[in-house]
Amino acid sequence: MPGKLKAKIVAGRHLPVMDRASDLTDAFVEVKFGNTTFKTDVYPKSLNPQWNSEWFKFEVDDEDLQDEPLQITVLDHDTYSANDSIGKVYIDIDPLLCSEAATVISGWLPIYDTIHGIRGEINVLVKVDLFNDLNRFRQSSCGVKFFCTTSVPRCYRAVLVHGFVEELVVNEDPEYQWIDRIRTPRASNEARQRLIFLMSGELQRKIGLKVLEMGGNAVVGYLQCFDLEGESGLVVRAIGTACTLEKISTFPATATHPSNSSPSKDMKDSPQAAPSTLGCRSTHSSPVHSASSRLSQGFSVSVPTLLFAGMKPRHRSSEAPRARQCRPGFGEEAPGVPLSSGPPTPLRAQTFSSFSPSKSYSRQSSSSDTELSLTPKTVGIFQCPSTPALDSESSPLPSVHLPCHLRPVMSSRSTTPPLLHISQSDTAMLRKSVSFSEELMLAASGMGSGGSVGKEAGPLKALLRQQTQSALEQREYPFFTLTAFPPGFLLHVGGVVSARSVKLLDRIHNPALGNTRSYKLLDWNSFAADEPETRDAWWEEIRQEIKSHAKALGCHAVVGYSESTSICEEVCILSASGTAAILSSRFMQDGPPDTEHRLSRQPLCVFSTGSERVEGDMGSSASLGFEEVVSPGCGFCHIPYDELNIPFPAQLTYCYCCRRYKVPDVLFTTIDLPNEANVTGKGCLIQARLCRTKKKAQGEGNATAISSLLPFLEYELHTQLMNKLKLRSMNALFGLRIQISVGETMLLGIASATGVYLTALPSPGGIQIAGKTPSDITYEQHISTMQKKINDTIAKNKELHDINPPEVVEEIIGSPIPEPRQRSRLFRSHSESSDEVSELDLSHGKKDAFVLEIDDTDAVEDIHALLTDSPTPAGFYSCNTEIMPGIQNWTSAIQMFTSVRVFRLNANLTNQGLNKIFSDLCENLLKSLYFKLRSMVPCCLCHLNFTVAIPEDELIQVAVTAVAMSFDKEQPLENGKQSGEKTLIKAVTENDEQLQFNLELNAETSSSNPRSSPKGLSEVGSHLSARASSLEKASPLPEGRSRSLRSDRSYSGSSVAVVKMTPLSFIPGAKIIKYLGIINMFFIRETSSLREEGGVSGFLHTFIAEVFAMVRAHVAALGGNAVVSYSMKECVFMENPNKNQAQCLINVSGDAVIFVRESELDSTLVQTQSATTHPSNGGEGT
Amino acid sequence: MSVELDVFVGNTTIMDKEVYQLWLNGYTVNDAVKVRIEGGVMEECEASAEVLLSDTMDQYRTFQMCERLLHHPAKLANQLLFQIPPDRQAMLIERYYAFDDSFVREVLGKKLSKGTKKDLDDVSIKTGIMLKSCRRQFDNFKRVFKVVEELKGPLVENIRQHFLLPDPLARDYAAIVFFANNRFETGKKKLQYLTFQDFAFCAGQLINNWTVGAVDNMMEDMDVDLDKEFLQDLKDLKILITDKDLLDQHKSLVCTALRGKTNVFNEMEANFKNLSRGLVNIAAKLINAKDVRDFFIDLVEKFIEPCRSDKLTSIDVNLYLTHYTNSAHILDTFKHHTVWTRYMGVIKSCILRMYHD
């Protein structure tokens, strides 16, 4: 349905000289949307033209509004020859389509040319009048909000979390079209940029439709990626989590007012238009909640029954997935309620001890050299060995994982030449192509003490999860791209699950027939490229596998889910990973979280007064709620799987916090550390890096070679991670991200995560080195010196990260703890082996020391590698999660940066040599970062995101994006070492995110940070004033900005609004008051005068700076002053130094926001309002 | 094995003051790394030479990218490519436009032309300032000169606004522009003892008092040229030396006032006619451009040197000049009081400034 897009071209500045004779330019502008083009007059002989055009109006479908960008081209008029293009600006209209986001785009935007970079700026005004579309069959999804942020956005509340949405669109890559041979590089680049813009728009629209269909109003954790498949095309795909969000109106004054009165609110049709657009959606969702809240209540009552019922739930779990449904049908869950009613009270106690739902991946520490300590992804591996033992007892498990080995086999059979899906996953790989792997696994499982645990029969299942499980299992993919959750949503974490698959790109031509999706051919795409179904099918396979892995871990959901690809020539590795978890049903069917919250709070008191009484009270309150609150700091660590049917060897102990439930010895996850988690000391970045050579091969052979290498790569990465974790005396990894990159002659793997010491988990033992030839004395000495080194490092690391031995905690707290422990042991005694008891006592002793055997050079290398990781310099911390556990008092000083390095290797390196080089490369990069940012000390590099690529043979490219945040040392909040105390603090904080900022605020004011206080205000102020003047006068050097200047000196021209950028979802010391829309930009830059532009480094440096500048300018034009959840998704760099050429593609995304400094929240309110009235008047005038 | 590409881009552009100074001073990357290593950054920050090299290269690249903006400082605040906090911008500009006194002393009063630029290698050798830095400084002078040359209004203010320079630096540039425009001779051996700041002070006096802008409050003309009318009027002062009576009368008035107040009275009395002739002749000749160039050398030769050989202290000179100036107003037949005050005010403060070893 129709919308009216209006654009006005105001002025230009700093234009390049296009006419050599006069040193001036005769510029005019073409404004294009869809197939309609308008032109301004030529403004002769000026580098700062003032067009001040009329309003160009485009009457278009909202579908087009979503798909198409507004394209503005600045040209130089030439009477005699063709007009020269100066550059282009693409404007994404999407933020204007959502009533809650931006209302106008107005400001100076860089004019960009793919050959020359930024060439001046243009001042434009863009508005949209959108008419309401109530047509049910519409193809547009205007109004659905998109967020890159992987948590619930700061000024919203999640009412419902609907689940996974995904979509992909495919097209031919203009770079590989025949016409490209006769086209200029500029034309090709522009065709590509435009196409990707179109495809992103289309993708977003389609995802939006799915969200509307599910009843949601927003996509959180929106992750969009490109696969440049070369000859075979271009794939744009996206995943996200559909949610129903509700704006929090706790700050009615600040939150709503600025947004309503924001600069040009008046431009929007009328205030009424906005609510009505949303109207249908919100009413839609409200009945849902009320119904669902009733449901969950019913469920919670039923919990004990399930226990009683024994195996019943399990059957359900295995069957449910088969009946796949896209949407959770709430009605269908109803039958589940009666099923699980009838509470035999006596059994309840047992419930506690045995079904403790915690999920965690655990690893076998005392196993031998073949330690298969892999995480989720390897879950498959562990499962296999344990299957035989379990068969008789637990039918569900085998059935769950059966598909994963069957499938690969089948696929290899059906496609006689075993190429296409050579490896569905490493599990498959191990089984299929690596013949000895099976023995390996069996050996491992045999040796592991965990194996024995697994053998103990006694099928007691975690029951709680059943209720949500049923809801979740009816979904096709119970996946969530979120990495942080509203309190109480995440119940238990099982461990990382991942799957990879190697595909051949040139085999995709088979046209899939059943075309269920409406696939719109893009305008210039003459004939059908790949059918999107092919790609869909690939991902579907992988997602199924992930799902089955999660199930094997006893989990019904996957959180922190992400997908990625690596392409080299015609081979493509698809990867997906996430964290198996159990979620509370609250946000899925349940309405008002507040009520639930209140409910769940009560048990807390009950618990603290006396645990025995809990049993009595439990029936009435949601057991889920109970559990979360019992132990907000440790609940998520409790294993979700049945301890007696552990899917892989693991060492379980009782939780060190609550002493009630079992926890694994190590936990790996892809999510952020939950806010409420109890952590001892600080965390640190842990990185495993690996490089493996590979023979050059073509097509199938290549794919086979890669798939046979993959499992080893992953195995070694995990070994490294585990070793490094132990070396730092930590027991959990968060934000784990494993990237495998494929090149012609090698494979690169990099795994990054933030290691922490979870108070709930047992203390990791040390690392013990053992040799196999004890006879040799010198060898012994060698080993002992090495052992000493390692012990020293561990001790140093403990100190560095403030890891205090948890034993202290135990002694101090003393009395309350043994009690539940004894009790639970009492109840459990029948099923407990003596083995476990001893484990419990010795868990922090030397007994579970991690043994490394050095029987060959490989192992020696490994150990050396372990020790070469240099510690971070004093005052620095680093992590790849949002924030560093143990640091709270952030100041407002943040510095986002991107660093890229390309390293050329010598030919003929051995694996060890390669490894060392790669590892050094990463280490040196980190060292450089620390050095660069030394002025910010004490500071923490957060969200360190490493991306590796192999742009060509013998080249390794590493790109890092992160943010450095200063913190105040003076108030070490984490001094309250006692976990109990901390829990209390956190329990309070948890609910009230503001508190965190309040604390920070104090820190900020006390520290003599000269920028902190006046800045936020003046930023807003200067921005608004700049905006005001641009609206009013649009003179290239707006006046009136001087009043916002911070310095005494007069800077006549500082009209540029400061825009902060951060990969995190928040800005320390500030409150995000409005989300303005998603920023998703794709740029290509090419040069044929590489040397003149300062070589490759100069070229890329300029380009990245330009990308930042364009992001900032677009955010400022939307009225924002920051980008959060910023990420650089793609940085493809190609060079041809012989031809003096280079090309680079960059894709970035983030959320544009308006933030206000906490300190000025109140004062700004008045100012902002007064300031905004001004520009809006101006806006009306124009 | 080699690093092919190595870049670091911050949302807020990171610039190290120390490296910036090294860059401004014309050090190559490798030399800068050496200096930094000697400076002890490595120990301080647990860095290696490799890290230092990478950082230095990166900074140098950033500075090079910024340089084009620094040529038009107003653009620095308006551009979108680099997000630089205002205080940093001010620092960048100020340091970029800072110059070495020893360098400026060499080119002061010279024509800012290509020819002069070619001779910079000699200047570089003589002053020990790296050629690259010399070129930057010279180009700065030239750029400021070109922009300000044709502008109306007060010179210092123009410079400050166009180049966003702090006040003292803007005044120095005004002096440089003024000297370059009027081509004052400053390189003669007799003038070698004068520092740039001496000249800058004198330039300030001249700009404030002898240009059109000085009287006319920035009306039509600009500040870079001396007020032609005033120079014309100066010829009238000749009467003070050509008219014998007047000269004697003047002398007696000055001597009466000075008697007993100084112990070099005799020398002063003896030299009075000589000195007075010197000063008035300078005034009378200023209408010729060539003589304007020799203004400072004339002051030294005709006044400062004679005084110095008579061992006058600067207090003596001050006393003498004060009475010399004031006495003229008492002369019955002397009518050119305004011109005299305007002339002598500047002469007096210039001489006092220049009267040192």
Side-chain angles (χ1 to χ4, degrees), chain A residues 228-289:
Chain A
L228 301 170
E229 294 187 353
E231 297 281 350
S232 63
L234 188 63
V235 178
V236 185
R237 58 193 162 77
I239 55 175
T241 307
C243 295
T244 302
L245 298 183
E246 191 180 271
K247 195 141 187 170
I248 298 174
S249 47
T250 43
F251 287 94
T254 45
T256 49
H257 276 252
S259 59
N260 283 347
S261 60
S262 84
S264 18
K265 181 242 139 84
D266 49 295
M267 309 232 170
K268 209 66 204 212
D269 231 357
S270 70
Q272 278 90 338
S276 63
T277 334
L278 279 180
C280 58
R281 240 163 284 131
S282 60
T283 50
H284 188 290
S285 57
S286 62
V288 177
H289 343 154

Side-chain angles (χ1 to χ4, degrees), chain B residues 51-218:
Chain B
V51 165
L52 222 50
L53 178 67
S54 148
D55 178 60
T56 312
M57 294 226 283
D58 201 70
Q59 299 263 351
Y60 266 53
R61 203 163 41 233
T62 310
F63 300 142
Q64 271 151 24
M65 286 161 73
C66 275
E67 190 165 18
R68 141 191 97 75
L69 297 166
L70 285 166
H71 291 169
H72 311 278
K75 269 193 188 168
L76 194 63
N78 254 327
Q79 50 84 35
L80 302 176
L81 193 56
F82 300 101
Q83 186 157 284
I84 307 169
D87 57 326
R88 277 278 130 149
Q89 289 183 19
M91 184 278 288
L92 286 178
I93 295 167
E94 186 173 341
R95 293 213 184 177
Y96 191 79
Y97 282 90
F99 50 80
D100 293 296
D101 280 2
S102 57
F103 171 79
V104 73
R105 198 56 195 77
E106 293 298 318
V107 295
L108 194 63
K110 284 191 184 149
K111 199 175 174 189
L112 299 174
S113 64
K114 283 209 174 113
T116 316
K117 200 177 173 182
K118 271 182 196 149
D119 298 336
L120 286 182
D121 33 3
D122 295 337
V123 177
S124 166
I125 292 163
K126 193 175 166 194
T127 57
I129 295 163
M130 289 200 196
L131 183 59
K132 225 178 143 198
S133 177
C134 290
R135 292 214 173 114
R136 185 197 87 240
Q137 298 181 31
F138 183 82
D139 288 342
N140 283 344
F141 297 160
K142 200 169 158 181
R143 194 174 318 110
V144 173
F145 183 88
K146 280 214 157 168
V147 168
V148 170
E149 199 180 21
E150 300 301 323
L151 284 176
K152 287 165 188 168
L155 183 58
V156 178
E157 196 48 39
N158 280 341
I159 292 174
R160 199 165 48 200
Q161 279 194 354
H162 274 84
F163 292 92
L164 308 178
L165 298 178
D167 199 56
L169 196 54
R171 284 179 195 285
D172 286 350
Y173 267 93
I176 292 163
V177 168
F178 189 73
F179 267 67
N181 188 52
N182 292 293
R183 310 275 299 283
F184 289 109
E185 177 59 70
T186 65
K188 285 274 158 52
K189 207 165 176 202
K190 279 179 180 166
L191 296 176
Q192 282 311 309
Y193 80 98
L194 292 168
T195 66
F196 168 70
Q197 283 310 325
D198 294 335
F199 284 118
F201 174 83
C202 298
Q205 291 296 315
L206 267 68
I207 293 167
N208 287 336
N209 297 297
W210 287 4
T211 57
V212 183
V215 273
D216 236 358
N217 260 349
M218 70 186 90

Side-chain angles (χ1 to χ4, degrees), chain A residues 1004-1135:
Chain A
E1004 201 177 296
T1005 37
S1006 68
S1007 77
S1008 58
N1009 187 345
R1011 305 231 243 114
S1012 61
S1013 40
K1015 204 162 173 195
L1017 182 56
S1018 54
E1019 270 168 15
V1020 174
S1022 73
H1023 176 68
L1024 289 171
S1025 66
R1027 193 169 236 273
S1029 52
S1030 68
L1031 279 171
E1032 280 164 357
K1033 273 204 95 180
S1035 71
L1037 298 169
E1039 299 324 349
R1041 58 179 95 84
S1042 50
R1043 86 185 132 100
S1044 64
L1045 290 178
R1046 273 141 263 175
S1047 155
D1048 315 345
R1049 231 170 263 156
S1050 63
Y1051 295 99
S1052 60
S1054 85
S1055 64
V1056 181
V1058 174
V1059 175
K1060 296 209 168 202
M1061 291 168 80
T1062 172
L1064 307 183
S1065 63
F1066 66 96
I1067 292 162
K1071 183 154 183 64
I1072 294 172
I1073 56 167
K1074 194 175 185 192
Y1075 280 81
L1076 299 166
I1078 202 165
I1079 295 285
N1080 186 359
M1081 300 173 103
F1082 174 79
F1083 297 105
I1084 301 178
R1085 181 84 144 79
E1086 187 164 345
T1087 182
S1088 48
S1089 52
L1090 188 56
R1091 249 164 282 140
E1092 294 76 0
E1093 294 197 31
V1096 286
S1097 295
F1099 171 71
L1100 192 61
H1101 194 144
T1102 315
F1103 185 36
I1104 295 176
E1106 284 171 344
V1107 169
F1108 283 8
M1110 287 185 278
V1111 169
R1112 287 192 302 253
H1114 281 261
V1115 170
L1118 285 170
N1121 56 5
V1123 190
V1124 297
S1125 299
Y1126 170 83
S1127 72
M1128 187 167 80
K1129 304 267 189 47
E1130 202 85 56
C1131 176
V1132 184
F1133 180 76
M1134 288 158 288
E1135 59 163 324

Side-chain angles (χ1 to χ4, degrees), chain A residues 895-896 898-902 904 906 917 924 931-932 934 1037 1051 1053 1055 1059 1061 1097 1101 1109 1112 1135, chain B residues 1-2 4-7 9 11-12 14 16 45-46 50 52 54-55 58 61 77-78 80-81 83 90:
Chain A
Q895 166 70 287
M896 192 282 296
T898 290
S899 183
V900 181
R901 278 193 189 183
V902 175
R904 184 173 291 282
N906 286 347
I917 288 167
N924 286 338
F931 182 76
K932 280 258 182 223
R934 63 193 184 283
L1037 298 169
Y1051 295 99
S1055 64
V1059 175
M1061 291 168 80
S1097 295
H1101 194 144
R1112 287 192 302 253
E1135 59 163 324
Chain B
M1 271 151 291
S2 56
E4 285 261 305
L5 181 157
D6 178 9
V7 298
V9 188
N11 183 36
T12 305
I14 292 184
D16 185 308
C45 312
E46 306 168 39
E50 230 174 290
L52 222 50
S54 148
D55 178 60
D58 201 70
R61 203 163 41 233
N78 254 327
L80 302 176
L81 193 56
Q83 186 157 284

Side-chain angles (χ1 to χ4, degrees), chain A residues 883-899:
Chain A
I883 47 162
M884 176 69 135
I887 301 178
Q888 271 132 14
N889 32 350
W890 303 106
T891 67
S892 57
I894 64 169
Q895 166 70 287
M896 192 282 296
F897 59 86
T898 290
S899 183

Side-chain angles (χ1 to χ4, degrees), chain B residues 209-213 215-216 219-222 225-237 283-284 286-288 292 336 338-340 342-343:
Chain B
N209 297 297
W210 287 4
T211 57
V212 183
V215 273
D216 236 358
M219 277 299 289
E220 279 295 288
D221 219 320
M222 42 234 151
D225 294 314
L226 293 174
D227 183 353
K228 281 265 151 52
E229 247 173 78
F230 166 66
L231 296 182
Q232 197 68 44
D233 292 345
L234 281 177
K235 281 208 249 176
D236 301 337
L237 299 181
L286 276 178
I287 191 69
N288 306 318
V292 170
H336 313 285
T338 337
V339 177
W340 178 247
R342 192 175 172 190
Y343 176 70

Side-chain angles (χ1 to χ4, degrees), chain A residues 366-429:
Chain A
S366 57
S367 73
S368 58
D369 48 348
T370 41
E371 56 101 9
L372 271 180
S373 62
L374 316 195
T375 41
K377 125 187 8 152
T378 51
V379 156
I381 298 183
F382 289 110
Q383 239 177 297
C384 305
S386 62
T387 320
L390 292 170
D391 262 348
S392 54
E393 294 133 13
S394 60
S395 49
L397 268 183
S399 76
V400 167
H401 82 183
L402 205 67
C404 52
H405 25 134
L406 275 185
R407 213 185 312 139
V409 178
M410 287 185 333
S411 66
S412 66
R413 243 188 277 132
S414 61
T415 56
T416 339
L419 21 133
L420 266 193
H421 351 120
I422 291 205
S423 85
Q424 306 275 353
S425 72
D426 41 315
T427 318
M429 283 319 308

